[in-house]
């Protein structure tokens, strides 16, 4: 949930962590909604799907690929969706109807359309900063409250049969519009400060213009210190709002008598910058964008209340869930099962976790519609190593190396240093084995 997750007030995430294994080094395959979700839900990397932006449905280039919920559906499960699971509103096909036993609920929507729905007059907005809204409204006024209510209804509807329920909460993504009571949980002056400086020695290509929060180029906003503080406050409020909705769903599992026989996973699709490195939102290969929260509670399997440093990737979810459920493997999955780690959190199942991102970050909106470069990044136990490659030639045009243990905030690019040579060579070999340089001319 960001660089300051420990400061967030999340009693229900804490409650869930006490029942399962918390992965402290889990990573998405690309820090953007559509590629990340498509990769996670198909068990394929963005390069295999040929999908690196939000405007293309994953089935346009992969019509026969099997999704995680679809595989459960084909093996006798009722599969249901409440909220944002597959990416939706940029594409012609909304969601993935073949994956579900019933139509998705509140799936086709845009974050910016999440306006408060209340009876009578809408209460005043106490927020001032861009993308922020602070109104004294009930939880169901916004998407996530309604998503939780639908998930609860579905749980009671399907509780007597095998089911796969995907609950897609929208927060803490912008706009930062949690109900006022969640803003009131925090003293803005006491929230962790932000370091706006870029990492020393980092190449220009590693950065982007933050247009998701700053607006449309060339009219990009430069936030004041007060605006930065309020935006960060709103992000915290969104985390606590999401946490409360998760608590409602967990309560429903308890009430239905399902807690001890249900696998529960909590995962995010990407990380988020809130001014760190001078960046806003996602679309980078830095740790803050690549790392995602991951909790897995599997009764009778997971070592409850434990944390692990084992490296994990979002696309590991597919093979993990089918193994836990005793389903056959469809073959061709890029991820690996995390079940050995659930049984023994000291174990490791892979030497590196891979993330990538193109430049321009939103190349589909640029003339020509193809990237100029692709950044490939690997996180090992010791370092994060990144290569930026020319899209057409495959030539390396920039590199980054960060000391993940001594410099977890990634403040200095050590690629020109003699330090960490052995770790760099190991990471470079891993990266090039996973992503061999190629010419696309």
């Amino acid at each position: 949930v960001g660089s300051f997750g420990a400061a967030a007030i999340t009693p229900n995430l804490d409650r869930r962590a006490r029942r399962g294994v918390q992965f402290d080094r889990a990573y998405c395959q690309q820090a953007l909604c559509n590629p990340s979700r498509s990769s996670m839900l198909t068990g394929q990397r963005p390069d295999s799907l040929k999908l690196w932006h939000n405007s293309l449905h994953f089935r346009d280039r992969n019509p026969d690929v099997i999704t995680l919920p679809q595989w459960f559906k084909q093996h006798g499960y009722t599969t249901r969706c409440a909220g944002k699971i597959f990416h939706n509103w940029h594409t012609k096909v909304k969601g993935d109807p073949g994956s579900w036993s019933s139509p998705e609920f509140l799936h086709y929507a845009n974050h910016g359309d999440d306006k408060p729905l209340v009876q009578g007059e809408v209460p005043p907005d106490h927020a001032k900063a861009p993308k922020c809204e602070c109104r004294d409204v009930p939880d169901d006024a916004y998407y996530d409250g309604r998503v939780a209510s639908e998930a609860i209804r579905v749980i009671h509807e399907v509780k007597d049969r095998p089911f796969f329920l995907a609950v897609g909460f929208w927060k803490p993504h912008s706009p930062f519009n949690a109900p006022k009571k969640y803003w009131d949980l925090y003293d803005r002056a006491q929230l962790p400060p932000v370091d706006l400086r870029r990492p020393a020695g980092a190449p220009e290509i590693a950065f982007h213009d933050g247009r998701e929060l700053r607006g449309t180029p060339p009219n990009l906003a430069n936030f004041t210190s007060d605006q930065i503080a309020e935006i960060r406050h709103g992000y915290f409020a969104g985390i606590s709002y999401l946490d409360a909705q998760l608590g409602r769903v967990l309560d429903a599992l308890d009430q239905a008598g399902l807690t001890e026989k249900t696998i529960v996973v909590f995962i995010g699709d990407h990380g988020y910058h809130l001014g760190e490195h001078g960046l806003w939102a996602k679309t980078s290969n830095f740790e803050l964008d690549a790392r995602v929260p991951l909790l897995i509670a599997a009764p009778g399997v997971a070592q409850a209340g434990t944390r692990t440093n084992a490296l994990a990737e979002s696309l590991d979810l597919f093979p993990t869930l089918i193994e836990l459920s005793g389903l056959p493997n469809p073959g061709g999955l890029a991820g690996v099962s995390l079940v050995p780690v659930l049984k023994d959190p000291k174990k490791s199942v892979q030497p590196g976790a891979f993330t990538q991102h193109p430049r321009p970050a939103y190349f589909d909106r640029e003339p020509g519609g193809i990237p100029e470069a692709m950044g490939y990044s690997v996180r090992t136990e010791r370092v994060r190593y990144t290569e930026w490659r020319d899209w057409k030639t495959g030539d390396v045009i920039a590199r980054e190396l960060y000391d993940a243990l001594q410099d977890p905030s990634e403040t200095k690019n050590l690629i020109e240093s003699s330090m960490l040579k052995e770790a760099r060579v190991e990471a470079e070999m891993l990266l090039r084995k996973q992503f061999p340089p190629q010419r696309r001319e």
Side-chain angles (χ1 to χ4, degrees), residues 70-119:
Q70 185 179 13
W71 191 243
F72 273 82
K73 181 182 175 183
Q74 290 179 3
H75 288 84
Y77 281 71
T78 294
T79 58
R80 301 291 289 272
C81 166
K84 182 179 178 180
I85 300 300
F86 293 98
H87 191 71
N88 43 42
W89 64 281
H90 286 285
T91 60
K92 293 180 181 179
V93 175
K94 312 307 177 188
D96 190 49
S99 289
W100 311 107
S101 302
S102 298
E104 298 108 314
F105 171 85
L106 233 178
H107 178 82
Y108 174 54
N110 178 350
H111 288 278
D113 293 335
D114 190 9
K115 308 297 183 184
L117 296 182
V118 296
Q119 292 184 349

Side-chain angles (χ1 to χ4, degrees), residues 359-382:
R359 289 291 181 264
Y362 296 98
F363 69 88
D364 55 311
R365 304 177 194 178
E366 302 290 338
I370 61 171
E372 296 174 7
M374 182 68 75
Y376 292 102
S377 187
V378 60
R379 173 66 156 85
T380 67
E381 181 181 357
R382 191 70 178 87

Side-chain angles (χ1 to χ4, degrees), residues 44 95 121 171 325 425:
Q44 306 295 327
E121 186 175 350
K171 293 297 171 239
S325 303
V425 171

Side-chain angles (χ1 to χ4, degrees), residues 317-337:
L317 190 60
F318 199 143
T320 301
L321 286 181
I322 60 175
E323 180 176 348
L324 288 171
S325 303
L327 300 186
N329 192 305
L333 299 178
V336 297
S337 173

Side-chain angles (χ1 to χ4, degrees), residues 161-230:
R161 47 187 143 146
F163 69 88
F164 178 108
L165 172 60
V167 184
F169 293 119
W170 295 71
K171 293 297 171 239
H173 193 288
S174 67
F176 310 114
N177 59 354
K180 182 176 181 296
K181 63 182 178 181
Y182 298 104
W183 289 75
D184 293 344
L185 292 174
Y186 299 95
D187 178 352
R188 189 177 304 174
Q190 299 301 314
L191 295 178
V194 59
D195 186 350
L196 299 172
R197 294 173 298 177
R198 288 185 171 187
E204 182 65 31
I205 198 171
F207 303 94
H208 57 84
D209 58 23
R211 64 182 62 186
E212 180 178 308
L213 295 185
R214 297 179 61 205
T216 305
N219 301 311
L220 294 169
N222 291 310
F223 301 131
T224 67
S225 58
D226 286 345
Q227 289 174 327
I228 290 171
E230 185 170 0

Side-chain angles (χ1 to χ4, degrees), residues 178-403:
K180 182 176 181 296
K181 63 182 178 181
Y182 298 104
W183 289 75
D184 293 344
L185 292 174
Y186 299 95
D187 178 352
R188 189 177 304 174
Q190 299 301 314
L191 295 178
V194 59
D195 186 350
L196 299 172
R197 294 173 298 177
R198 288 185 171 187
E204 182 65 31
I205 198 171
F207 303 94
H208 57 84
D209 58 23
R211 64 182 62 186
E212 180 178 308
L213 295 185
R214 297 179 61 205
T216 305
N219 301 311
L220 294 169
N222 291 310
F223 301 131
T224 67
S225 58
D226 286 345
Q227 289 174 327
I228 290 171
E230 185 170 0
I231 289 170
R232 290 168 66 84
H233 186 177
Y235 189 79
F236 273 103
I239 293 171
S240 292
Y241 172 47
L242 174 152
D243 182 80
Q245 309 320 306
L246 172 65
R248 294 173 58 202
V249 176
L250 296 178
D251 288 345
L253 285 176
D254 289 343
Q255 293 161 7
L258 296 173
T259 299
E260 296 299 331
K261 53 184 178 181
T262 303
I263 302 164
V264 178
V265 176
F266 179 88
I267 191 169
D269 58 352
H270 51 70
Y272 216 71
H273 278 83
L274 293 168
E276 302 90 352
H277 298 159
L279 292 174
W280 295 94
K282 59 262 190 182
T283 70
S284 85
N285 283 323
F286 289 114
E287 184 83 358
L288 273 179
D289 277 357
R291 188 164 64 93
V292 297
L294 176 60
L295 302 171
I296 302 178
V301 178
Q303 295 297 305
T306 57
R307 300 173 69 165
T308 180
N309 283 326
L311 293 162
E313 298 181 290
S314 296
L315 47 69
D316 295 337
L317 190 60
F318 199 143
T320 301
L321 286 181
I322 60 175
E323 180 176 348
L324 288 171
S325 303
L327 300 186
N329 192 305
L333 299 178
V336 297
S337 173
L338 300 172
V339 170
V341 183
L342 298 178
K343 293 179 177 179
D344 181 359
K346 294 180 181 180
K347 285 190 174 181
S348 178
V349 293
Q350 52 199 344
F354 303 93
T355 301
Q356 63 185 97
H357 219 290
R359 289 291 181 264
Y362 296 98
F363 69 88
D364 55 311
R365 304 177 194 178
E366 302 290 338
I370 61 171
E372 296 174 7
M374 182 68 75
Y376 292 102
S377 187
V378 60
R379 173 66 156 85
T380 67
E381 181 181 357
R382 191 70 178 87
V383 300
R384 173 171 296 284
Y385 173 72
T386 303
E387 285 187 357
W388 293 93
R389 300 177 187 168
D390 182 274
W391 179 253
K392 291 184 178 180
T393 67
D395 294 339
V396 176
I397 55 179
R399 296 191 300 164
E400 301 170 75
L401 180 70
Y402 300 99
D403 187 335

